[in-house]
């Protein structure tokens, strides 16, 4: 029997009980849609994390004193400009591009005319931070080395600070603002960068490190040192160089006196976690597909029982076993294909909405795989009922009441 004839018979069987067929299709639909949406959420989460790390710079290292969160009070090293000079040794120029000192002050009140805002972080640093931190200046410019040496009171502010103080009517560049009651001239505004975790990277201001030490923090020690490797591939070598230099300067007998945070390693760990999460989400969704396949087997068994006399008549007039087997397999395949196709449509529509704060990003390989698995599961679970129907003896089928 040709495929067109088998398909026609299968469609007739599906239409015989539309409500039952609809409920069977619904199980496959939910499974396919769940796989697409959940994989898209996992993929979107991984991409969002990667973008946040790219914004920070994946070839950067951050040197902290003592360890994460301990600082000098935890027995850590008092990082200073001498450490910066040591790390700028020409010996390491093949793996280290920039070494940037950083001091910072948190929650500084900024004012302009009648407007007031609390700047989350005011960072004292050097011009190389633009490159090391992957910052772009949207308008104006960044301060230069001469302004650092002359301790000029100039500032480059983030987009959030600019909006809070100047709105859309006033051009910030060239204006005077007050940071902690100290006047600074705005020389540039940074391009919007978004958030990184709980940190708003647009709620920031950069000033020359010398000025920050004189006016905002009142000390010469550094909060951290940002080291930019020559490329992402040389980040590990740069980390080894940093560790070697600082270990010789701060030998520790009671644990580490400094810590080196590797953005590339954190990104890799985050990607690994995201992949694991995506696999788990897909596995959970795949259970729905499995349940849908079991539903198809159940429905096909009922169908075979209801149509036993029909099967007997067909076999009595000479229909071969392959024709009976093909008819019911086609019927199961049609249910799976229809459920899979509608499930793909529902999944793609569902992936257009933000879910749990994440923008889903569709992985087309997961769409193709979900559709293939839907049909494959339908054929697999439909084989037993189809084989049962095809193996009936005509006389037994005709006697069935």
């Amino acid at each position: 029997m040709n495929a067109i004839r088998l398909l026609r018979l299968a469609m007739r069987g599906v239409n015989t009980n539309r409500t039952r067929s609809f409920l069977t299709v619904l199980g496959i639909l939910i499974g396919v849609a769940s796989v697409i949406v959940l994989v898209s959420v996992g993929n979107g989460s991984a991409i969002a994390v990667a973008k946040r790390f790219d914004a920070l710079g994946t070839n950067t290292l951050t040197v902290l004193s003592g360890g994460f969160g301990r600082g000098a009070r935890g027995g850590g090293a008092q990082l200073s400009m001498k450490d910066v000079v040591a790390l700028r040794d020409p010996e390491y120029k093949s793996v280290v591009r920039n070494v940037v000192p950083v001091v910072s002050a948190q929650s500084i009140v900024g004012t302009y005319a009648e407007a007031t805002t609390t700047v989350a972080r005011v960072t004292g640093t050097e011009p190389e931070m633009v490159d090391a931190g992957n910052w772009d200046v949207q308008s104006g410019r960044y301060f230069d080395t001469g302004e650092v040496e002359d301790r000029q009171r100039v500032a480059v502010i983030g987009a959030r600070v600019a909006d809070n103080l100047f709105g859309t009517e006033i051009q910030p560049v060239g204006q005077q603002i007050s940071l902690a009651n100290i006047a600074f001239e705005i020389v540039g505004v940074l391009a919007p960068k978004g958030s990184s975790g709980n940190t708003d990277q647009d709620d920031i201001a950069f000033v020359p490190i010398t000025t920050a030490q004189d006016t905002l923090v009142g000390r010469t020690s550094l909060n951290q040192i940002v080291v930019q490797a020559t490329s992402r591939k040389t980040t590990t070598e740069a980390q080894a160089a940093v560790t070697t230099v600082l270990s010789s300067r701060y030998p520790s007998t009671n644990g580490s006196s400094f810590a080196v945070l590797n953005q590339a390693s954190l990104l890799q760990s985050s990607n690994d976690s995201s992949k694991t999460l995506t696999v788990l989400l897909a596995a959970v969704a795949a259970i729905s597909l499995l349940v849908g396949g079991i539903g198809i087997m159940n429905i096909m068994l009922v169908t075979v029982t209801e149509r036993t006399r029909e099967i007997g008549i067909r076999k009595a007039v000479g229909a071969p076993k392959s024709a009976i087997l093909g008819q019911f397999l086609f019927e199961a395949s049609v249910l799976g294909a229809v459920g899979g196709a509608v499930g793909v449509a529902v999944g793609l529509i569902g992936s257009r909405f933000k879910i749990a704060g994440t923008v889903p990003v569709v992985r087309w390989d997961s769409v193709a795989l979900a559709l293939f698995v839907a049909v494959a599961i339908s054929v697999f679970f439909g084989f037993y009922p189809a084989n049962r129907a095809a193996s009936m003896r005509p006389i037994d089928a005709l006697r069935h009441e």
Side-chain angles (χ1 to χ4, degrees):
M1 187 179 291
N2 60 46
I4 296 177
R5 173 65 175 164
L6 286 174
L7 181 60
R8 197 173 293 158
L9 286 172
M11 292 303 298
R12 188 181 68 183
V14 170
N15 287 324
T16 300
N17 193 322
R18 295 182 180 180
T19 301
R20 188 166 63 197
S21 297
F22 169 75
L23 293 175
T24 304
V25 166
L26 188 62
I28 296 295
L29 183 159
I30 292 173
V32 171
S34 298
V35 168
I36 293 173
V37 171
L38 292 180
V39 170
S40 297
V41 169
N43 189 40
S45 176
I47 291 174
V49 170
K51 285 182 178 179
R52 286 198 290 267
F53 274 99
D54 284 340
L56 295 172
T58 53
N59 64 327
T60 59
L61 307 167
T62 303
V63 182
L64 305 171
S65 62
F68 303 117
R70 292 195 305 168
R73 288 177 297 178
Q78 287 278 0
L79 298 175
S80 69
M81 289 300 298
K82 292 182 180 180
D83 300 315
V84 174
V85 172
L87 291 171
R88 287 173 175 169
D89 191 321
E91 178 184 351
Y92 306 111
K93 67 179 181 180
S94 62
V95 294
V96 174
R97 177 186 298 170
N98 288 311
V99 180
V100 189
V102 173
V103 297
S104 60
Q106 311 294 324
S107 302
I108 298 297
V109 176
T111 59
Y112 172 78
E114 300 299 322
T116 300
T117 187
T118 300
V119 183
R121 188 171 77 257
V122 177
T123 298
T125 186
E126 294 183 346
E128 291 78 13
M129 178 58 80
V130 174
D131 186 21
N134 199 22
W135 295 94
D136 292 320
V137 179
Q138 186 176 58
S139 60
R141 62 178 178 83
Y142 205 80
F143 51 80
D144 56 35
T145 303
E147 288 168 321
V148 174
E149 293 174 350
D150 294 340
R151 289 174 154 75
Q152 294 293 311
R153 295 183 179 181
V154 293
V156 180
I157 59 176
R160 180 85 60 200
V161 179
D163 289 341
N164 291 343
L165 291 179
F166 301 100
T168 58
E169 303 296 327
I170 302 174
Q171 170 56 251
V173 177
Q175 304 295 333
Q176 294 276 342
I177 68 169
S178 172
L179 294 174
N181 295 320
I182 299 168
F184 285 83
E185 178 186 352
I186 303 300
V187 295
V189 177
L190 298 169
K193 205 171 183 180
S195 299
S196 175
N198 295 323
T199 303
D200 186 350
Q201 297 186 88
D202 297 327
D203 195 4
I204 192 172
F206 288 110
V207 302
I209 186 169
T210 50
T211 306
Q213 289 171 328
D214 291 344
T215 61
L216 297 176
V217 297
R219 54 181 168 79
T220 58
S221 61
L222 307 177
N223 290 88
Q224 58 186 238
I225 300 173
V226 175
V227 178
Q228 182 186 25
T230 52
S231 70
R232 185 173 176 178
K233 292 181 179 179
T234 60
T235 303
T236 302
E237 296 176 64
Q239 183 175 2
V242 170
T243 302
T244 298
V245 171
L246 295 183
S247 293
S248 65
R249 293 179 56 81
Y250 301 103
S252 175
T253 56
N254 297 313
S256 298
S257 56
F258 63 90
V260 182
L261 180 65
N262 189 330
Q263 298 285 7
S265 296
L266 288 177
L267 175 59
Q268 184 60 49
S269 298
S270 179
N271 284 340
D272 291 342
S273 298
S274 295
K275 288 178 182 177
T276 301
L277 175 62
T278 300
V279 170
L280 289 175
L281 291 175
V284 170
I287 294 174
S288 299
L289 270 177
L290 181 63
V291 172
I294 294 173
I296 285 180
M297 183 171 67
N298 183 48
I299 293 302
M300 293 305 297
L301 284 171
V302 173
T303 300
V304 168
T305 302
E306 290 179 346
R307 294 162 61 183
T308 300
R309 287 185 62 81
E310 175 193 332
I311 294 168
I313 293 172
R314 290 193 60 202
K315 299 199 75 170
V317 298
K321 179 178 179 179
S322 59
I324 305 297
L325 181 66
Q327 175 187 346
F328 285 97
L329 278 180
F330 259 78
E331 200 166 313
S333 300
V334 167
L335 291 172
V338 172
V342 179
V344 167
V346 172
L348 293 178
I349 293 172
S351 298
R352 297 177 65 87
F353 300 95
K354 184 179 288 188
I355 300 173
T358 300
V359 178
V361 177
V362 175
R363 283 185 52 176
W364 293 102
D365 57 339
S366 71
V367 174
L369 181 62
L371 184 57
F372 171 77
V373 171
V375 176
I377 281 180
S378 300
V379 173
F380 177 79
F381 282 101
F383 181 80
Y384 172 71
N387 187 61
R388 181 178 175 182
S391 300
M392 284 185 180
R393 295 172 58 199
I395 188 65
D396 293 332
L398 290 171
R399 287 175 177 172
H400 182 78
E401 294 295 334

